[in-house]
Amino acid sequence: MTMLGLREFHPFEAAGERFLYMVPSAGVFHIDEASYDVLRVLEEGAKSPEELTAELAEVYGAEDIAHALTELHDIRAIGDVRMPPERPLPVLPPEDFPLTTMVLNVTNKCNLACTYCYEYGEDKIIDTENGKQPKFMSDQTAEESIEFLLAESRGQEVAHVTFFGGETLLNFPVLQKTVAYARRRAAEEGKRIEFSLTTNATLLRPEIIEWLADNQIGVTISIDGPKEVQDGLRVFHNGKGSYDVVQPKIKELLKRHRTRPIGARVTLTQKNMDVLKIFKHLTEEMGFWEVGLAPVTTQDHRDYAITAEGKDDMLRQFEVLAEEWLEAALKDEHHGFSNVKDTLEEIHKGVSKAYGCGAGLGLMGVATDGDVSLCHRFAGSPEHTIGSVTEGVDREKQGKFLTDHHIATKTDCHTCWARPICSGGCYHEAHVNYGDSSLANLHYCTWVRSWTHTCLEIYGALAEKNPKFLERFDA
């Protein structure tokens, strides 16, 4: 006799309806009352189809139960209890997996001295002051990097370059030359390269703003909020706050540059946890189109590290903004909280990750000397270097990284329902906290599950009340 039991999924409700988020497939399914009651009964233990039919006979006919069992079996919400649970298989991507995004660290110098900075602060993993890398990337290395991207992007028609630092605009001449060179070479190869950069905005000048707008460069501004917040940790080397310097420059950028959306990237610390005030200031008072917020990457003993209580408070405020985002989406209106948008896009596309991100695979970082690393946060770190723009990718090193960092090796994640979205999280975060980039970020597990649940509820509500809105995630 076949005995049926529950497989792996996460149930949630939205807009008065019931849904299942399937693991590991990452599919989202609406379920009816009969299916819900089947699952409820199976929570008590395994039962045969006949036992289920008998137990629910007072509410549903045999045909309704049979239909529910078929649907639940098809989506793998239930199955024969003798079947082992589905565990991630260590299947590696093909060796010719295309590079889609290259982050060019055009300088490792910065004119700010932000206390929490992962590159220059207390948790830095590379000696940018006395290390062997040059302070600025040369024109030649930048051009070699473009050739590397064109080759490694393989059959992709579009590739992406993000300029990074240090403070990116300290090496503005190389940006100008590289964009012109890349566009010419991409056209010769029948491709297109899109560009973006991250900056602290201190060096924005009218001619730079004009160039950014004319060349359709996407811009992300690193800014932490209103004056009292920004000046607390984002300071110049003499200790002076940066808000009064960047505020008018950002206003001018937002006024002139309309060819691409301008976003703000906020680092949250225990010292600046008023998420709602920060978001309101950056969107309503400063005028940013989108704002993304991320907790600081640091060790727990730092005085700016977010405490457990702080994480709960951060989640509560994220949920308030998420509800605002949903209200806007139901009316087909824009809301600038990009954290929701990014997670919903992954849910909609059924993303089930084998890796925490695309680092070392579809995304790579290039140090000022042309060494290729897993991502920009590891640029210049010998331990995390997997090649160079002149010699190409060391496939043996890349293969070892992909093997060691695969979700199949992260046994702590194997029973977590949120693993399709998370897959253990950021490698740099793990390196800073545990000294090993291959480990799962267990200190954020509860937070990630709670946030993913919130985003699933929003997705379900949109699917029921304004499904057309979700079509914008199809691209």
Side-chain angles (χ1 to χ4, degrees):
M1 177 184 295
T2 299
M3 299 296 288
L4 298 175
L6 298 178
R7 304 294 285 176
E8 198 172 2
F9 57 82
H10 177 69
F12 65 97
E13 296 184 15
E17 301 294 327
R18 294 188 172 95
F19 299 85
L20 301 181
Y21 176 66
M22 302 309 303
V23 183
S25 71
V28 176
F29 293 92
H30 176 274
I31 59 171
D32 60 18
E33 288 298 315
S35 296
Y36 171 77
D37 282 334
V38 167
L39 298 176
R40 178 180 55 78
V41 171
L42 287 177
E43 284 180 355
E44 302 167 3
K47 294 184 183 296
S48 68
E50 293 77 15
E51 289 172 327
L52 284 164
T53 302
E55 190 159 338
L56 295 170
E58 292 185 7
V59 184
Y60 305 103
E63 187 174 327
D64 292 332
I65 297 298
H67 179 71
L69 291 177
T70 298
E71 286 201 337
L72 290 171
H73 186 272
D74 287 347
I75 65 173
R76 299 187 181 182
I78 62 174
D80 191 323
V81 293
R82 294 170 296 183
M83 295 290 292
E86 292 185 65
R87 293 291 178 253
L89 298 175
V91 179
L92 301 185
E95 194 173 277
D96 61 351
F97 192 94
L99 176 64
T100 57
T101 301
M102 180 177 67
V103 184
L104 280 185
N105 283 47
V106 295
T107 179
N108 56 32
K109 287 181 67 68
C110 190
N111 59 339
L112 292 186
C114 304
T115 307
Y116 54 68
C117 182
Y118 70 83
E119 194 167 0
Y120 307 103
E122 297 167 304
D123 295 298
K124 66 181 180 182
I125 62 176
I126 304 144
D127 185 355
T128 53
E129 289 298 318
N130 305 300
K132 69 180 183 69
Q133 276 89 14
K135 296 293 185 286
F136 297 94
M137 179 177 284
S138 67
D139 293 340
Q140 180 180 343
T141 300
E143 291 180 2
E144 290 168 345
S145 300
I146 295 301
E147 296 300 329
F148 171 80
L149 174 63
L150 290 172
E152 292 295 328
S153 61
R154 306 187 190 283
Q156 299 292 307
E157 292 183 3
V158 181
H160 303 268
V161 170
T162 297
F163 297 109
F164 210 79
E167 169 41 42
T168 310
L169 295 180
L170 283 170
N171 202 1
F172 181 60
V174 162
L175 269 60
Q176 292 176 291
K177 294 174 184 176
T178 304
V179 168
Y181 178 84
R183 287 208 165 118
R184 175 175 64 80
R185 286 289 297 117
E188 292 171 354
E189 298 292 329
K191 297 190 177 192
R192 187 176 86 253
I193 296 180
E194 296 184 348
F195 301 91
S196 61
L197 63 80
T198 295
T199 176
N200 60 32
T202 58
L203 299 177
L204 286 173
R205 304 188 304 272
E207 61 270 27
I208 291 178
I209 292 173
E210 288 295 319
W211 181 82
L212 293 170
D214 291 344
N215 285 276
Q216 300 181 335
I217 310 294
V219 180
T220 298
I221 304 292
S222 294
I223 182 171
D224 287 352
K227 180 176 173 61
E228 67 275 13
V229 174
Q230 175 81 355
D231 289 350
L233 293 173
R234 296 190 65 82
V235 298
F236 289 96
H237 289 275
N238 62 5
K240 182 182 178 182
S242 58
Y243 184 85
D244 289 340
V245 173
V246 303
Q247 192 263 2
K249 295 174 182 287
I250 293 172
K251 287 279 193 179
E252 187 60 30
L253 174 71
L254 293 169
K255 178 181 176 182
R256 170 64 182 89
H257 188 356
R258 297 185 178 277
T259 57
R260 294 276 296 276
I262 309 297
R265 199 276 188 188
V266 176
T267 297
L268 296 171
T269 73
Q270 191 61 35
K271 297 184 176 184
N272 62 315
M273 291 298 295
D274 195 340
V275 173
L276 301 178
K277 180 179 180 180
I278 291 169
F279 182 84
K280 181 177 180 179
H281 176 79
L282 294 177
T283 54
E284 297 180 12
E285 297 176 35
M286 291 288 283
F288 281 104
W289 177 254
E290 284 192 336
V291 175
L293 304 101
V296 64
T297 295
T298 191
Q299 297 178 46
D300 286 343
H301 65 274
R302 310 292 185 205
D303 65 351
Y304 47 82
I306 301 177
T307 64
E309 294 77 13
K311 291 174 185 175
D312 290 341
D313 184 39
M314 179 172 64
L315 178 63
R316 178 187 62 79
Q317 295 183 77
F318 271 39
E319 288 172 343
V320 171
L321 289 177
E323 186 60 33
E324 290 181 6
W325 191 96
L326 173 60
E327 291 174 6
L330 290 174
K331 295 182 286 187
D332 289 313
E333 296 175 356
H334 172 75
H335 187 282
F337 187 34
S338 64
N339 295 63
V340 171
K341 184 198 74 173
D342 294 344
T343 305
L344 254 65
E345 183 169 1
E346 292 189 323
I347 292 171
H348 183 71
K349 291 181 175 178
V351 171
S352 185
K353 300 176 182 176
Y355 298 98
C357 69
L361 191 59
L363 178 148
M364 296 180 188
V366 180
T368 54
D369 62 354
D371 278 352
V372 175
S373 56
L374 304 178
C375 75
H376 56 288
R377 289 196 167 207
F378 290 115
S381 168
E383 180 184 350
H384 304 95
T385 295
I386 56 173
S388 73
V389 294
T390 53
E391 300 297 322
V393 176
D394 184 325
R395 298 302 176 188
E396 185 176 345
K397 282 187 177 180
Q398 184 189 38
K400 185 177 187 313
F401 162 77
L402 294 173
T403 299
D404 293 345
H405 292 71
H406 196 282
I407 185 67
T409 69
K410 300 176 182 180
T411 54
D412 291 309
C413 301
H414 288 182
T415 57
C416 177
W417 66 262
R419 67 179 182 270
I421 289 283
C422 174
S423 196
C426 174
Y427 307 133
H428 180 259
E429 174 92 19
H431 182 84
V432 168
N433 281 276
Y434 309 118
D436 186 344
S437 59
S438 69
L439 299 180
N441 287 287
L442 301 181
H443 57 293
Y444 266 110
C445 288
T446 300
W447 197 96
V448 168
R449 281 191 289 266
S450 297
W451 176 241
T452 304
H453 178 82
T454 294
C455 290
L456 285 168
E457 290 177 324
I458 291 173
Y459 186 81
L462 279 173
E464 288 299 309
K465 295 183 175 181
N466 190 8
K468 190 170 180 58
F469 184 90
L470 297 174
E471 292 178 5
R472 64 189 64 195
F473 297 128
D474 289 335

